[in-house]
DNA sequence: TGACAAATCGTTGTGCACATCAGGCGGGGA
DNA sequence: TCCCCGCCTGATGTGCACAACGATTTGTCA
């Protein structure tokens, strides 16, 4: 946390804390069941409990933590049966990104995408569940720019971070075929690039939609064992 | 506000305050631009600023108010150009209600619906923009039970209250044909009942979707004058 | 030795005093 | 008369002390 508050407003600092905590939860630095201390977090981020409680309240609304009076603030469990509804909604909403306010990519975007594809190729050689999840988050944030519909982006972001922990939990328990996952992901990105170069944003959305749906089915198959 | 806190937990009381303020904003008791005082609201609801600030923070995330340091908490403007994206997303998501976890209605539900239809018929005789909006809210909450997908319900509820003020603002400015609106709404409810009695929840969703879309088009036509 | 009850500890929730900030009002000078 | 600077007011944001609550531990009695 290099305090580089150069020109940053206070509101931005709070948003940064929120994003940081969300990252820690979704990367399982704070695993399900972990207890977050308001005082400790306030000390770490150089503030007091009052602003920290606002951040935690937002995390609670997103369903990532749960605060109980007298007990503590606990990281919620990533249960596949409870998150199935969210996952299926995410599938459908991803399909809408090519329909509602699609944004044609510029050359900068295509360059970024190529960088992400290169990182995905590197995953096959030396990838860990954690580094793969970090890459997946970057890809998500990048592809989110393909729609200008702000409410849709907000909902998709919410659903993404609600459901993303499922994969990493299973991956750490060695219940997924990592090499298969890496290969499928690289293939998806290449397909997206092809669709993008042909200017077919509807196709891009459908490719994402299909892969999210298939990814969920693989997770369900693994949990049925 | 009859303090009937019989068996209600503290959390429920806060939720009730949130719903009450949301209602006041969407019924234009607090019109766009109105300033909400944390201290005054805390006094009215018999609490202090701290819990009230949490409620206002949630309203701010929903986009209904905006808090600015040193200025105040202001009810946001209901601008049709800014809410167009939310409206179009709401149209698509309403169509999904018949697809994601549809719930077959029971006899109690059908009885409730008939009561709403009767109220809609009464609107044509003696309806005001405000009472019509109250009826519309009750209809929305009732029809929301037709899907069991909790994330979808939350998003739909959010989008509904974000966009609902548009109609009431125009209606109060006498920029909508009230009798036409009442008639269309009654017709919609009757169509929904017919689809419901035939057990076709997909049709119910499409009927709602179509009417929300057409309602928005009527609003746009009026604002283009 | 077991079971029950009371106390203790740590946590989140609340209330209040103060800091911080933006806008408006008024006075003074050109 | 106009403009500008500084104060003043009222708002939200923050920090702290205390209340409320739940889990655990400890002590006592049978």
């Amino acid at each position: 946390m290099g305090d580089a508050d150069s020109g940053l407003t206070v509101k931005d600092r709070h948003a940064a804390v929120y994003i940081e905590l969300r990252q820690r939860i979704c990367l399982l630095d704070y695993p399900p069941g972990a207890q977050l201390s308001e005082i400790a977090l306030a000390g770490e981020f150089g503030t007091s409990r009052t602003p920290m409680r606002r951040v935690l309240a937002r995390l609670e609304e997103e369903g990532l933590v749960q605060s109980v009076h007298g007990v503590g603030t606990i990281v919620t469990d990533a249960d596949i049966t409870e998150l199935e509804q969210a996952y299926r909604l995410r599938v459908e909403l991803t399909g809408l990104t090519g329909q509602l306010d699609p944004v044609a990519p510029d050359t900068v975007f295509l360059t970024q995408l190529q960088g992400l594809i290169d990182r995905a190729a590197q995953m096959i050689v030396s990838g860990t569940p954690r580094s793969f999840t970090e890459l997946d988050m970057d890809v998500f944030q990048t592809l989110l720019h393909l729609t200008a519909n702000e409410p849709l982006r907000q909902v998709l972001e919410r659903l993404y971070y609600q459901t993303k922990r499922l994969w990493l939990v299973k991956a750490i328990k060695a219940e997924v075929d990592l090499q298969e996952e890496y290969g499928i992901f690289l293939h998806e990105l290449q397909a997206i690039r092809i669709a993008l170069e042909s200017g077919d944003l509807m196709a891009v959305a459908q490719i994402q939609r299909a892969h999210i749906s298939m990814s969920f089915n693989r997770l369900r198959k693994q949990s049925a064992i």
Side-chain angles (χ1 to χ4, degrees), chain A residues 90 93-106 108-117 119-120 134-149 152-154 156-157 160-161 164 184-197 200-212:
Chain A
R90 188 183 152 210
L93 258 59
T94 302
L96 285 179
T97 54
Q99 194 174 339
L100 294 178
D101 306 282
V103 175
D106 52 14
V108 174
F109 183 91
L110 292 174
T111 303
Q112 286 183 354
L113 180 63
Q114 186 56 51
L116 294 169
I117 292 176
R119 284 173 62 188
E134 289 174 330
L135 171 60
D136 192 85
M137 289 179 176
D138 291 340
V139 168
F140 170 78
Q141 290 290 346
T142 301
L143 294 180
L144 205 57
H145 289 90
L146 291 179
T147 178
N149 192 301
L152 176 58
R153 288 167 63 161
Q154 288 178 10
L156 275 176
E157 192 172 10
Y160 176 83
Y161 288 102
K164 202 56 210 170
I184 291 174
F185 189 65
L186 176 60
H187 197 76
E188 177 188 358
L189 289 186
Q190 290 168 336
I192 287 175
R193 181 181 57 185
I194 292 174
L196 224 42
E197 286 169 350
D200 192 342
L201 286 169
M202 196 73 196
V204 174
Q206 293 307 321
I207 291 169
Q208 286 188 78
R209 187 198 128 111
H211 275 87
I212 293 171

Side-chain angles (χ1 to χ4, degrees), chain A residues 1-8 13:
Chain A
M1 288 299 92
D3 274 313
D5 50 354
S6 55
L8 284 185
R13 287 179 57 87

Side-chain angles (χ1 to χ4, degrees), chain A residues 24-78:
Chain A
R24 292 182 187 179
I25 293 171
C26 291
L27 288 177
L28 304 187
D29 294 331
Y30 299 147
Q35 183 170 341
L36 305 184
S37 168
E38 296 179 351
I39 296 178
L41 290 174
E44 176 184 350
F45 292 103
T47 177
S48 75
R49 278 184 62 209
T50 306
M52 194 57 58
R53 279 179 59 75
R54 183 161 173 164
V55 172
L56 291 175
R58 186 171 169 193
L59 287 171
E60 186 171 17
E61 294 210 357
E62 308 279 328
L64 296 181
V65 304
Q66 186 177 9
S67 294
V68 181
H69 189 185
V71 178
T73 301
I74 311 294
V75 176
T76 56
D77 193 21

